């Protein structure tokens, strides 16, 4: 029985994910107390229930923060390799906006105080599950349609082969480093299109900017080395049961050089059949500041 445990940060989209999984043919149970996960899975496996795909949602509305429980659940996952964990997250700004729009109270408000402190505490407490997860999906800027496509792509691997998921992002150093990247690459050593009047208002999503950035031999050589490095580390990560890789490219403002590399690297690995996603974190911030 294929089983997926869905968890992650409050407001990151677990409800949407479980609805999508239900549409994909999974028997779904939302807000299952975590201490019942083992029992429920055992019942479904051993009582003759005609369930071949099961999805369970659990989160911080219960005692999931208990170190004893976390250790127990992680051991359960490691003992049962047919059980996978899907972890959903989003950046702080997105989570704050979603809570403000829904006017709901964060489950940890009574413990942490402010919304921002609640999100910070939850992120810290859920770090162990994020590390153990088979799949990590960042829903920042992700529509329900895009989340559905991502889940279908992840779950469509044939013959039980788990596809490595590669999340690629661009950012501006002046807005701070990304929190969760496995690898951060600094492309500020390349000539900046910002100083070309005809390119200043464009981004790395525009072909003219990409052509300019990649016109320099050092950019082409760096791009080649990045592809070689990522191709090398993917099987190494799989050897330690890590099936998601997060790569971030940074430049000064997060509009030109970093976007160019994130765009091209995501395109290269998507064409190779990997599950990919690209996020340009700061691509509009300079414009919004004006």
């Amino acid at each position: 029985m294929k089983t997926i445990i869905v968890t992650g940060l409050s407001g990151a989209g677990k409800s949407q994910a479980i609805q999508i999984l239900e549409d994909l043919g999974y028997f779904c149970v939302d807000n299952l107390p975590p201490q019942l996960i083992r029992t429920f899975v055992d019942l479904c496996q051993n009582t003759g229930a005609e369930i071949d795909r099961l999805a369970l949602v659990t989160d911080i509305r219960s005692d999931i923060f208990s170190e004893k429980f976390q250790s127990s659940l992680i051991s359960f996952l490691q003992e049962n390799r047919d059980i996978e964990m899907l972890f959903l997250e989003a950046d702080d700004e997105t989570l704050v906006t979603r809570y403000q729009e829904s006017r709901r109270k964060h489950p940890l408000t009574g413990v942490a105080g402010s919304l921002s402190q609640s999100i910070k505490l939850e992120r810290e407490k859920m770090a162990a599950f994020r590390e153990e997860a088979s799949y990590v999906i960042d829903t920042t800027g992700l529509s329900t349609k895009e989340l559905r496509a991502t889940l279908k792509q992840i779950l469509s691997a044939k013959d039980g082969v788990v596809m490595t998921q590669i999340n690629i992002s661009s950012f501006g150093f002046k807005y701070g480093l990304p929190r969760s990247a496995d690898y951060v690459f600094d492309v500020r050593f390349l000539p900046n299109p910002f100083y070309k009047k005809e390119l200043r208002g464009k981004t790395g999503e525009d072909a003219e900017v990409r052509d300019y950035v990649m016109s320099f031999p050092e950019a082409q050589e760096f791009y080649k080395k990045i592809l070689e490095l990522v191709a090398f580390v993917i099987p190494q990560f799989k050897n330690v049961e890590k099936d998601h890789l997060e790569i971030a490219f940074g430049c000064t403002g997060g509009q030109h050089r970093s976007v160019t590399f994130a765009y091209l690297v995501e395109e290269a690995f998507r064409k190779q059949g990997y599950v990919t996603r690209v996020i340009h974190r700061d691509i509009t911030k300079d414009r919004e500041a004006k």
Side-chain angles (χ1 to χ4, degrees):
M1 180 178 66
K2 183 175 179 62
T3 303
I4 297 177
I5 297 175
V6 181
T7 190
L9 303 182
S10 302
K14 295 187 295 294
S15 296
Q16 290 89 337
I18 202 69
Q19 291 170 9
I20 293 168
L21 289 170
E22 187 171 24
D23 292 342
L24 295 176
Y26 283 77
F27 180 82
C28 298
V29 180
D30 194 2
N31 196 23
L32 182 71
Q35 61 270 27
L36 296 182
I37 290 176
R38 280 177 175 265
T39 302
F40 191 83
V41 172
D42 287 341
L43 283 172
C44 292
Q45 289 178 333
N46 301 319
T47 59
E50 295 183 0
I51 298 174
D52 58 356
R53 287 185 288 183
L54 174 67
L56 309 172
V57 178
T58 190
D59 59 24
I60 60 166
R61 288 172 288 184
S62 54
D63 63 352
I64 198 168
F65 280 0
S66 162
E67 290 185 10
K68 181 178 179 181
F69 167 72
Q70 289 195 2
S71 176
S72 174
L73 181 55
I74 289 173
S75 296
F76 182 56
L77 290 170
Q78 293 173 344
E79 294 165 5
N80 297 271
R81 289 304 177 184
D82 56 338
I83 301 177
E84 299 174 324
M85 180 176 284
L86 169 66
F87 190 97
L88 300 175
E89 63 182 4
D91 64 27
D92 288 5
E93 184 178 348
T94 297
L95 294 174
V96 168
T97 299
R98 289 174 182 173
Y99 268 99
Q100 289 175 338
E101 290 176 348
S102 68
R103 298 187 179 181
R104 295 180 62 195
K105 185 171 70 172
H106 192 283
L108 293 181
T109 299
V111 177
S114 69
L115 176 56
S116 60
Q117 288 299 314
S118 298
I119 292 171
K120 179 181 178 182
L121 177 60
E122 183 180 26
R123 198 182 293 278
E124 293 172 353
K125 294 295 186 180
M126 296 293 282
F129 285 142
R130 186 187 187 281
E131 183 63 27
E132 187 65 27
S134 303
Y135 313 105
V136 178
I137 298 179
D138 187 335
T139 64
T140 303
L142 201 65
S143 67
T144 301
K145 180 179 179 181
E146 290 170 329
L147 178 58
R148 177 184 295 273
T150 300
L151 283 173
K152 288 181 69 175
Q153 189 177 17
I154 287 173
L155 299 173
S156 65
K158 296 180 180 179
D159 302 322
V161 176
V162 178
M163 295 293 293
T164 297
Q165 177 191 348
I166 306 175
N167 296 328
I168 303 167
S169 63
S170 65
F171 70 95
F173 275 96
K174 68 180 182 180
Y175 298 114
L177 288 165
R179 290 176 177 270
S180 58
D182 297 302
Y183 294 97
V184 175
F185 298 102
D186 187 344
V187 294
R188 288 177 294 182
F189 68 92
L190 296 171
N192 193 347
F194 178 83
Y195 297 109
K196 303 287 288 186
K197 185 178 180 180
E198 65 273 20
L199 299 177
R200 182 174 301 174
K202 299 180 182 293
T203 73
E205 291 190 315
D206 296 301
E208 303 96 312
V209 172
R210 295 197 300 274
D211 290 344
Y212 174 79
V213 172
M214 300 307 294
S215 68
F216 298 94
E218 56 268 38
Q220 297 177 27
E221 183 68 17
F222 188 64
Y223 173 69
K224 178 182 176 182
K225 291 182 181 297
I226 292 294
L227 296 186
E228 291 174 348
L229 173 63
V230 175
F232 171 78
V233 301
I234 285 174
Q236 315 311 318
F237 272 43
K238 291 181 73 67
N239 286 340
V240 292
E241 307 294 337
K242 182 175 172 62
D243 294 306
H244 57 272
L245 178 64
E246 300 201 20
I247 306 166
F249 293 94
C251 62
T252 304
Q255 291 190 349
H256 299 103
R257 295 162 292 181
S258 61
V259 174
T260 292
F261 270 81
Y263 181 101
L264 294 175
V265 171
E266 187 276 334
E267 180 182 56
F269 283 98
R270 173 166 41 84
K271 288 181 177 179
Q272 294 180 41
Y274 289 96
V275 178
T276 62
R277 185 177 177 227
V278 64
I279 299 175
H280 302 304
R281 192 191 74 180
D282 302 325
I283 195 170
T284 63
K285 286 188 176 176
D286 278 355
R287 300 175 192 175
E288 293 170 353
K290 293 179 181 179

